[in-house]
């Protein structure tokens, strides 16, 4: 992918976010909503299982970069789990979101503005992305960012991934990233892929009746819309063979 195509997609991402209604998003994703905190608890549990299965015993010593960190809510979660702020780095394209993240996060935690595909830092034990790839509509750009994430992950480390797998018919500005596509983006890895998150339109409706319905319906895997993945980078290789 050339520099002009990259610029075009970055500008397109910025324009797509500019027309989003921030107030509506804040309400929809408020922690006060049972569907939001129940989905959050589910992904917390599985992420912590990934960490334990990978043999991470002292999270204060684990380094992590989040690309597209938005206002920093995931980084706050990692801090709560015991990560050291000096070992966490956040990156975000939109200056207003980066500014909000700066207000909430400790000053030892480094925040880097700009396009994640141009980052040159690390290597990190974990490189995390949460609903960033579904905001990228250009295939070449997705590959470029996947390659950058891979390069910034230390050999023996992993990419942590949370994103939805299906298109949203009501929102043409995003597209689902299927499990097959995740494997294509990281051909040198054997990802552990867990289906999570009860389909938001269903979960918003049923949790208004009773929060217990979240886990009842979420027991049916075909109603889960997101993938939470642990994408390990083998200890012996450092080169990404992508496009
Ligand atoms: C849906 S939001 C998710 C924010 C955060 N990761 C979360 O889970 O709360 C996607 C974020 O990715 C950012 N983003 C998209 N493309 C990016 C890129 N190329 N470089 C850095 N950030 C990017 C957007 O600006 C936006 O803040």
């Amino acid at each position: 992918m050339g520099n002009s195509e990259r610029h075009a997609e970055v500008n397109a991402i910025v324009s797509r976010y500019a027309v989003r209604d921030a107030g509506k998003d804040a309400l929809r994703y408020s922690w006060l909503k049972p569907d939001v905190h129940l989905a959050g608890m589910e992904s917390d549990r599985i992420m912590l299982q990934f960490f334990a299965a990978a043999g991470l015993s002292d999270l204060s010593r684990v380094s992590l970069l989040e690309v597209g960190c938005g206002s920093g809510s995931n980084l706050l979660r990692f801090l709560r789990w015991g990560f050291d702020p000096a070992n966490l780095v956040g990156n975000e394209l939109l200056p207003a979101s980066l500014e909000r993240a700066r207000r909430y996060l400790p000053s030892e935690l480094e925040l880097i503005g700009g396009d994640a595909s141009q980052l040159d830092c690390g290597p990190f034990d974990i490189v995390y992305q949460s609903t960033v790839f579904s905001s990228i509509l250009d295939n070449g750009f997705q590959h470029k960012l996947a390659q950058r994430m891979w390069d910034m992950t230390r050999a023996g480390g992993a990419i942590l991934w949370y994103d939805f797998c299906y298109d949203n018919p009501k929102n043409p500005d995003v597209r689902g990233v299927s499990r097959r596509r995740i494997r294509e983006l990281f051909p040198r890895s054997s990802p552990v892929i867990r289906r999570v998150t009860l389909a938001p339109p269903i979960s918003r409706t049923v949790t208004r009746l009773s929060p217990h319905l979240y886990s009842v319906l979420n027991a049916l895997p075909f109603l889960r819309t997101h993938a939470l993945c642990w994408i390990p980078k083998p200890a012996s290789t450092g080169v990404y063979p992508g496009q």
Side-chain angles (χ1 to χ4, degrees), residues 13 17 66 68-70 73-74 91-94 114-116 130-132 135-136 141:
I13 294 169
Y17 273 93
E66 181 179 3
C69 67
S73 58
N74 297 312
N91 148 261
E92 171 53 40
L93 181 63
L94 304 177
D115 170 20
S130 163
T131 61
V132 176
S135 311
I136 299 170
F141 194 99

Side-chain angles (χ1 to χ4, degrees), residues 165-185:
C165 303
Y166 304 104
D167 291 342
N168 177 350
K170 289 193 182 155
N171 186 356
D173 288 344
V174 293
R175 70 169 185 177
V177 188
S178 66
R179 284 167 288 168
R180 182 164 154 221
R181 176 72 177 149
I182 296 168
R183 291 197 179 90
E184 265 170 31
L185 290 169

